[in-house]
Amino acid sequence: MRVVQTGNGIRRILSDGLTAKQMPFDHIPVIDLAPMKSDDLAERQAVAAQLCEACIQVGFFYVKHHGVPQTVIDDAFAQSKRFFSLPLEEKMKIHISKSPNHRGYVPLLEENTDPNGRGDLHEALDFALDVPMDAPDILAGKTLYGPNVYPDHLPGFRAAIHRYYWELYQLGKTIFQAFALALDLPEDFFEAKISKPMAQLRLLRYPPQTGVIDATQIGTGAHSDYECFTILAQDELGGLQVLNSAGEWISAVPIAGTFVVNIGDQMARWTNDLFSSTVHRAINTSGRERFSIPYFFGPNYDTLIDVMPSCISPDRPARYESVTSGEYIMGRFNETFAYRK
């Protein structure tokens, strides 16, 4: 048995091979979000109930009828491929170490999500909420706020990524609305807490791995995400594997027209592990380049992540100390990114 150290403590893995079970889709919930736009509260509550069950029983799920135009998704993937096809020296011009607020290019092996690993075999381009350098939050020292950086000489790139970011922001707000209903909170409970979110968008490229694969150096090592939840767009190649409650790796097979959503550490802390953060990893054995676009959605920098009273009981005391969203994410970045060492 192997363990993975996450921001919320140790998680156990029953089997640590590189393969994962191919589970039928009916074992991985697919939730239709269309009723969340209904004026009928009962219809919205029905969606929330499905989401609640998925978060408790599985920890990850697909969403369909999510409202993000397919053309916007396709364009984001096309722009990602344009960027990663640039020469390394061009990408290095916007290396993440040149940004004071964690924006820019991350080369191969410069991130290590699994403390037992030797670096992640992917390259990334990181964006977040675009805030001018003279904004009060930045002047107050909240360094994860700030301006994004973009590559030169790629017409249309910035507009496409900006459009995708804001479409995913709207989808994320809908998911937060459903979370509130699922937790018997006012439907707008999270609204004020996500007005300036710690929401990071990553373009990711995974080179193919062939031959004998060293389990300590894969596309993305075993980890849990830092924010409340992640909305992932996958290409058709797959490669995402999720650890189930039995300690077994399960393949999250791409389904056309859907996003994969998994719970992150902050939502686990908020709910006292009622919604448990999902350990996952990525391994690209397709023989081709794999691309994915995760959107990590967390609340505003100063939002206090404190165990909700409704998630505490005599036999389930609070498991976590209070921490602000910004402090928590900064701590995790400091542990996983080479340039922050």
Side-chain angles (χ1 to χ4, degrees):
M1 179 181 292
R2 180 170 173 262
V3 299
V4 173
Q5 180 66 50
T6 74
N8 286 357
I10 290 174
R11 305 291 287 277
R12 289 174 173 78
I13 301 174
L14 182 62
S15 96
D16 199 36
L18 294 175
T19 59
K21 291 184 177 181
Q22 300 286 333
M23 292 193 70
F25 291 155
D26 60 359
H27 287 191
I28 303 174
V30 180
I31 298 176
D32 187 347
L33 288 185
M36 287 302 299
K37 302 300 182 184
S38 171
D39 292 332
D40 187 340
L41 176 59
E43 291 189 14
R44 301 196 300 275
Q45 288 175 326
V47 174
Q50 296 176 56
L51 185 148
C52 186
E53 182 177 4
C55 291
I56 293 173
Q57 301 296 331
V58 184
F60 72 107
F61 50 92
Y62 299 91
V63 293
K64 65 179 182 179
H65 300 148
H66 43 68
V68 181
Q70 188 62 46
T71 54
V72 173
I73 301 170
D74 293 343
D75 199 9
F77 273 106
Q79 299 301 331
S80 177
K81 293 176 182 178
R82 288 178 73 202
F83 172 76
F84 288 120
S85 68
L86 292 173
L88 179 60
E89 57 268 25
E90 284 297 313
K91 292 181 284 191
M92 290 295 289
K93 289 179 180 179
I94 54 172
H95 189 276
I96 198 166
S97 64
K98 299 178 181 180
S99 166
N101 51 287
H102 198 77
R103 309 288 202 278
Y105 174 62
V106 182
L108 292 171
L109 304 179
E110 283 202 14
E111 184 179 5
N112 191 38
T113 49
D114 182 350
N116 298 309
R118 298 187 297 111
D120 293 338
L121 198 60
H122 67 241
E123 54 181 331
L125 185 57
D126 288 358
F127 306 92
L129 189 67
D130 211 344
V131 178
M133 286 301 293
D134 59 354
D137 285 314
I138 296 179
L139 298 178
K142 301 170 189 176
T143 55
L144 291 181
Y145 287 127
N148 288 321
V149 294
Y150 298 91
D152 295 329
H153 314 304
L154 287 183
F157 182 93
R158 179 171 184 164
I161 297 305
H162 181 83
R163 173 73 187 279
Y164 187 85
Y165 185 96
W166 286 104
E167 288 285 354
L168 269 289
Y169 176 53
Q170 299 305 318
L171 172 56
K173 289 198 295 184
T174 298
I175 294 173
F176 264 119
Q177 178 188 356
F179 275 139
L181 289 172
L183 294 166
D184 292 323
L185 297 167
E187 201 165 358
D188 62 354
F189 176 83
F190 293 105
E191 189 171 323
K193 299 174 175 59
I194 55 173
S195 58
K196 295 183 292 184
M198 294 283 97
Q200 183 188 31
L201 173 67
R202 305 197 83 192
L203 307 182
L204 286 168
R205 172 190 169 270
Y206 296 87
Q209 290 189 259
T210 57
V212 177
I213 297 176
D214 183 347
T216 66
Q217 194 168 78
I218 57 177
T220 299
H223 69 289
S224 58
D225 292 339
Y226 316 146
E227 296 79 4
C228 289
F229 56 85
T230 302
I231 308 170
L232 176 71
Q234 306 187 77
D235 67 12
E236 73 282 2
L237 299 181
L240 174 64
Q241 299 178 1
V242 184
L243 192 68
N244 70 8
S245 58
E248 300 170 325
W249 291 109
I250 304 301
S251 288
V253 181
I255 305 177
T258 71
F259 290 103
V260 180
V261 180
N262 67 267
I263 302 302
D265 292 347
Q266 291 186 8
M267 186 57 71
R269 296 175 80 97
W270 242 336
T271 63
N272 209 25
D273 286 334
L274 177 66
F275 294 175
S276 183
S277 57
T278 312
V279 173
H280 54 286
R281 65 185 184 183
I283 305 174
N284 181 17
T285 58
S286 68
R288 297 160 52 192
E289 293 178 305
R290 174 183 184 258
F291 296 87
S292 69
I293 308 177
Y295 187 89
F296 306 96
F297 204 143
N300 301 351
Y301 191 102
D302 289 328
T303 298
L304 188 65
I305 308 297
D306 200 6
V307 176
M308 297 175 182
S310 60
C311 297
I312 299 174
S313 65
D315 59 347
R316 193 183 183 88
R319 299 178 178 183
Y320 301 105
E321 296 181 355
S322 301
V323 66
T324 65
S325 177
E327 290 171 338
Y328 185 81
I329 295 173
M330 283 286 288
R332 301 302 294 135
F333 284 171
N334 289 342
E335 291 184 11
T336 55
F337 283 90
Y339 87 97
R340 302 185 71 90
K341 302 295 185 183

